[in-house]
Amino acid sequence: MKRSSVIAIILTLLMPLSAYSATKYISIGTGAITGVYYPAGGAICRLLNRGRKEHGIRCSVESTGGSVSNLNAIRNNAIDFGIVQSDWQYQAYNGAKFFSDQRPFEELRSVFSLYTETFTIAVKADSQIKNLDDILKKNVNFGPLGSGMYATMKVLMDVKGWTQDSFESVTYLQPSEQPKALCEGKIDVMVYAAGNPNGVLQEATQACKVKIISIDDKTISKLIKVNPFYVQAVIPGAMYANNNEDINTFGVMASLVTSNKVDEEIVYNIIKSTFDNFDNFKTLHPVFSTLEKGNMVKAGNSAPIHPGALRYFKEAKLIK
């Protein structure tokens, strides 16, 4: 066989490999499929993937245990991006509280924040539980180990001076398992944290008569004083079945984070695809409907801004 023919065959065989190598594959860690993180990550990926012929990036979503799991996975290079609560972004970056057994995650970088997540305590309507202190000596579900709701419950317990022994029992059910467990009486209290409205609370309040408990102002004020990344929040009345009054609680911002190891062009393009198609993005989930770009740049982002994000924000004149 002629040398030129051999070279031509080799080049032909290498072409698919070259095309494959040119594609940059990234992943976003989210949360349970029934929560808000998973569709939020899907919305971001969907807009990014529409332009993959131009930027060569392909995005996929992974269902995970939530905020803490995502932060640890980014630290260990298992995923590229993660949606996390702003409080755990702060704790991971500083190596504080829940992450005090690890070194500060100084490589963590913020991308943009999303929506306010409210901390929610739900019980059956015929329960004798009327306020926060009434959940003592009850069967309480904290949410999955490694999730933001589990970690937030631990912080709330610290403020109240409680331990796990303060409850009859503690379980760690997935969000999809909680409504049924509550309605069937397998747990007395369901702890949940997400943007509103969300499918888990909708399912619970529609499957049986469930009431959402307000948290008293004294506890909220003490919590925010110790943890300034929390904010006071209200779940509007009538958002969920059989809950017609406003519900007072506290919350954090859901935020997209990455590490300084992720290429600047990738971060730039993930923001550009979202912010340049912002009106479309806001229609992809009900919790996005009130988003404002200015808040997404600043609120809840305690880790340094990734250079790729900073580049886009300056070009879009969202920051100076």
Side-chain angles (χ1 to χ4, degrees):
M1 184 180 291
K2 292 182 180 180
R3 187 168 181 269
S4 58
S5 299
V6 173
I7 292 173
I9 291 171
I10 292 172
L11 290 174
T12 301
L13 291 172
L14 288 176
M15 280 180 65
L17 180 61
S18 299
Y20 178 82
S21 300
T23 302
K24 300 172 185 175
Y25 291 87
I26 65 168
S27 56
I28 300 179
T30 57
I33 293 175
T34 53
V36 182
Y37 282 13
Y38 189 80
I44 294 168
C45 276
R46 185 186 311 177
L47 293 176
L48 181 65
N49 287 338
R50 285 179 183 176
R52 63 179 178 268
K53 289 183 179 179
E54 289 76 37
H55 51 59
I57 304 167
R58 188 172 184 86
C59 180
S60 62
V61 179
E62 293 187 23
S63 175
T64 69
S67 297
V68 179
S69 295
N70 291 339
L71 287 161
N72 286 329
I74 293 171
R75 186 195 289 261
N76 295 324
N77 302 312
I79 57 175
D80 306 291
F81 295 84
I83 299 178
V84 305
Q85 292 180 190
S86 56
D87 49 345
W88 304 117
Q89 178 187 153
Y90 175 91
Q91 306 294 0
Y93 181 73
N94 290 283
K97 293 191 176 180
F98 199 81
F99 295 93
S100 59
D101 60 337
Q102 304 180 52
R103 67 171 180 80
F105 188 8
E106 296 176 348
E107 298 83 9
L108 185 65
R109 294 293 179 267
S110 65
V111 181
F112 58 79
S113 62
L114 288 161
Y115 51 86
T116 303
E117 287 190 323
T118 56
F119 185 79
T120 309
I121 295 177
V123 301
K124 291 186 73 172
D126 59 3
S127 167
Q128 295 304 306
I129 299 171
K130 308 296 182 184
N131 55 55
L132 178 61
D133 289 341
D134 289 340
I135 73 173
L136 293 172
K137 303 302 180 184
K138 298 295 189 295
N139 301 310
V140 182
N141 182 71
F142 279 25
L145 291 168
S147 69
M149 65 191 78
Y150 164 82
T152 302
M153 186 63 187
K154 298 283 281 186
V155 173
L156 180 61
M157 287 166 57
D158 288 343
V159 169
K160 296 293 290 184
W162 297 343
T163 68
Q164 290 195 197
D165 292 335
S166 302
F167 307 102
E168 178 68 24
S169 69
V170 172
T171 56
Y172 308 99
L173 300 176
Q174 292 293 327
S176 60
E177 301 173 302
Q178 294 181 38
K180 183 178 180 181
L182 181 63
C183 289
E184 292 182 351
K186 294 178 180 177
I187 58 174
D188 301 314
V189 181
M190 174 179 132
V191 171
Y192 197 63
N196 294 289
N198 65 75
V200 170
L201 285 174
Q202 286 176 331
E203 180 182 348
T205 53
Q206 291 170 5
C208 61
K209 289 187 176 181
V210 168
K211 61 183 177 183
I212 301 172
I213 302 297
S214 281
I215 298 178
D216 58 282
D217 290 339
K218 181 179 179 181
T219 298
I220 294 173
S221 296
K222 186 176 180 181
L223 188 78
I224 293 173
K225 184 177 181 180
V226 178
N227 307 278
F229 34 76
Y230 287 124
V231 296
Q232 189 152 8
V234 174
I235 301 173
M239 178 165 281
Y240 297 104
N242 304 308
N243 288 269
N244 296 321
E245 303 296 325
D246 287 353
I247 299 152
N248 294 319
T249 183
F250 65 95
V252 293
M253 300 297 294
S255 56
L256 183 69
V257 298
T258 186
S259 80
N260 62 2
K261 299 175 184 177
V262 174
D263 186 81
E264 179 179 326
E265 285 299 316
I266 292 175
V267 177
Y268 175 85
N269 277 288
I270 204 169
I271 297 179
K272 181 177 175 61
S273 62
T274 301
F275 280 50
D276 283 5
N277 298 283
F278 198 60
D279 289 340
N280 186 358
F281 180 70
K282 290 172 67 175
T283 68
L284 297 179
H285 196 283
V287 301
F288 298 160
S289 61
T290 59
L291 291 181
E292 296 179 4
K293 290 182 181 179
N295 291 335
M296 295 170 72
V297 174
K298 299 176 183 177
N301 293 322
S302 48
I305 300 175
H306 192 284
L310 193 63
R311 176 181 149 202
Y312 179 86
F313 295 150
K314 287 184 175 180
E315 286 181 6
K317 295 182 170 52
L318 291 168
I319 59 175
K320 295 181 179 180

